Amino acid sequence: MTSTSGVHDASRSDEASWLKVLAKYRQPNSGRSALELAVTAIPFVVLWTLAVSAVWHEMWWGMILTVPAAAFLLRLFMIQHDCGHGSFFGRRGLDDWTGRTIGVLTLTPYDYWRRAHAEHHASAGNLDERGIGDITTLTIDEYEALSRWSRLGYRLYRHPLVMFGVGPAWLFLIKQRLPFGMFRSGYLPWASTIATNVAVAVLIGAMIWITGLLPFLTVHLPITLMAAAAGVWLFYVQHQFEETHWSKKPEWQFQTAALHGASHYDLPFPLKWITGNIGIHHIHHLSSRVPFYRLPEVLRDHPELAGLGRITLWQSFRCVRLTLWDERNARLVSFKEAAKRLG
């Protein structure tokens, strides 16, 4: 009879072998990357200009254009995300300055975000290292140990209106203006944040001077908030699904956490394109240097990976109710399910 530890060791060996398999997909194509940037940035600028022009001429139907403009702003963030991993152009300097430039539009200080996001990748699924770049998630026992007011605070934090409404606005408009939590990370996160803030202020001032305050706010604020809400939703669904993987050391292993702790958010093709294939998140976590436009190649060549953590668009809406980690059963549960367990 095979021992349990032997099964786990074999499984980890198989998971580790995927790193070698994915190595051949890590090389970006500079021409393809430049094209992806162009077909994202140009439509965003055109849609933004048309929307502002329509509102300036009191043609309020132009507000409809803020929806696709927000979608292209979200895609710009996905390109910035790849730059942070050094996987977009594959040249550190070019990736960094592309990411910093896009960060002015996405209100995301590039070097600050890149440092926090790298910590997220290094510790995702590790119950001992929560809190950096994560959606705050408590275990049932941790929640039970809270005071009544602290429980209420956690419930409010996990409420959809806060998580996908107030939260994105707070994160992108306010929180990212200062790199709190990076006091020991050197000067770069602070320099990045200050430089981004100055650049954002200059850009906003110029756009208001050109368009006027009301057209700018009427168009740009909804675009920013919709893109921010969509970004937070994607990040949420990528890790907050019922069969996700969390564990403590020494059981926690990077490969296992990557393949089983991140979802394969199987979206319809138009949404896959606009989100930069970020739904193929388990592959991204296992090998973050694979450019986003090569992730579908991995699933095409290795279809056995497609079923891991797969959730559809419809199934993803049910993930909102999952709020606590049940350590006994190794899965996310709702407040209602947790209450039944607590009696």
Side-chain angles (χ1 to χ4, degrees):
M1 180 178 293
T2 303
S3 67
T4 303
S5 61
V7 171
H8 287 317
D9 290 342
S11 175
R12 289 170 181 173
S13 177
D14 292 341
E15 290 160 355
S17 69
W18 282 114
L19 291 171
K20 297 179 180 179
V21 172
L22 297 178
K24 70 176 183 179
Y25 299 93
R26 291 172 50 151
Q27 183 61 42
N29 180 301
S30 296
R32 173 69 182 274
S33 297
L35 177 63
E36 294 289 351
L37 180 59
V39 300
T40 306
I42 293 173
F44 170 72
V45 172
V46 170
L47 288 165
W48 189 94
T49 303
L50 289 175
V52 168
S53 179
V55 171
W56 195 79
H57 289 92
E58 297 185 355
M59 294 185 290
W60 298 102
W61 57 264
M63 287 294 295
I64 297 173
L65 298 177
T66 62
V67 177
F72 278 98
L73 182 60
L74 174 66
R75 197 170 198 267
L76 279 172
F77 182 84
M78 297 308 165
I79 292 176
Q80 179 184 1
H81 168 264
D82 260 28
C83 290
H85 287 292
S87 61
F88 191 60
F89 287 109
R91 295 162 57 187
R92 186 77 266 176
L94 184 55
D95 277 336
D96 284 347
W97 282 106
T98 301
R100 288 169 185 146
T101 302
I102 295 175
V104 177
L105 292 174
T106 61
L107 303 180
T108 304
Y110 173 77
D111 295 285
Y112 163 45
W113 171 86
R114 180 163 67 93
R115 187 71 59 86
H117 192 64
E119 292 188 31
H120 160 68
H121 268 258
S123 61
N126 189 334
L127 284 171
D128 294 321
E129 297 185 18
R130 286 168 287 168
I132 301 296
D134 295 325
I135 301 293
T136 300
T137 306
L138 299 180
T139 67
I140 293 178
D141 291 338
E142 289 169 342
Y143 176 74
E144 185 182 15
L146 294 177
S147 67
R148 183 169 67 175
W149 287 108
S150 294
R151 287 189 186 186
L152 177 60
Y154 183 72
R155 281 179 172 270
L156 288 174
Y157 168 78
R158 298 291 303 215
H159 193 281
L161 290 178
V162 175
M163 183 66 65
F164 308 114
V166 177
W170 161 258
L171 175 63
F172 285 91
L173 297 181
I174 300 174
K175 186 177 184 294
Q176 293 191 148
R177 306 284 61 83
L178 285 174
F180 292 116
M182 291 286 178
F183 294 105
R184 298 180 179 178
S185 300
Y187 77 93
L188 194 57
W190 285 89
S192 173
T193 302
I194 294 171
T196 301
N197 290 343
V198 170
V200 168
V202 170
L203 181 63
I204 288 176
M207 289 191 292
I208 291 175
W209 181 72
I210 294 171
T211 67
L213 179 61
L214 182 60
F216 172 78
L217 290 178
T218 303
V219 170
H220 196 69
L221 191 59
I223 289 174
T224 300
L225 293 178
M226 283 189 287
V232 170
W233 168 258
L234 287 170
F235 186 79
Y236 181 94
V237 173
Q238 288 157 6
H239 296 282
Q240 302 280 320
F241 59 104
E242 190 169 5
E243 296 181 359
T244 190
H245 175 88
W246 291 76
S247 59
K248 294 181 178 180
K249 292 182 177 179
E251 287 77 17
W252 183 88
Q253 296 289 325
F254 171 80
Q255 293 89 351
T256 303
L259 279 176
H260 302 284
S263 66
H264 172 203
Y265 194 17
D266 197 0
L267 294 167
F269 177 76
L271 294 180
K272 286 182 181 178
W273 188 87
I274 207 68
T275 59
N277 298 313
I278 198 63
I280 309 176
H281 208 63
H282 58 324
I283 306 302
H284 167 68
H285 259 264
L286 188 58
S287 185
S288 61
R289 293 296 298 272
V290 176
F292 74 82
Y293 52 79
R294 299 202 65 182
L295 289 170
E297 293 180 38
V298 178
L299 295 186
R300 180 199 65 197
D301 296 343
H302 305 282
E304 61 269 34
L305 293 172
L308 295 180
R310 181 180 178 272
I311 54 174
T312 64
L313 179 62
W314 178 252
Q315 289 171 333
S316 69
F317 298 127
R318 298 201 292 268
C319 295
V320 176
R321 66 184 179 83
L322 303 174
T323 52
L324 294 166
W325 178 251
D326 183 346
E327 289 189 87
R328 295 182 186 178
N329 298 303
R331 66 186 186 93
L332 282 173
V333 298
S334 65
F335 285 121
K336 184 177 181 179
E337 290 173 296
K340 290 180 179 178
R341 205 204 82 173
L342 295 173

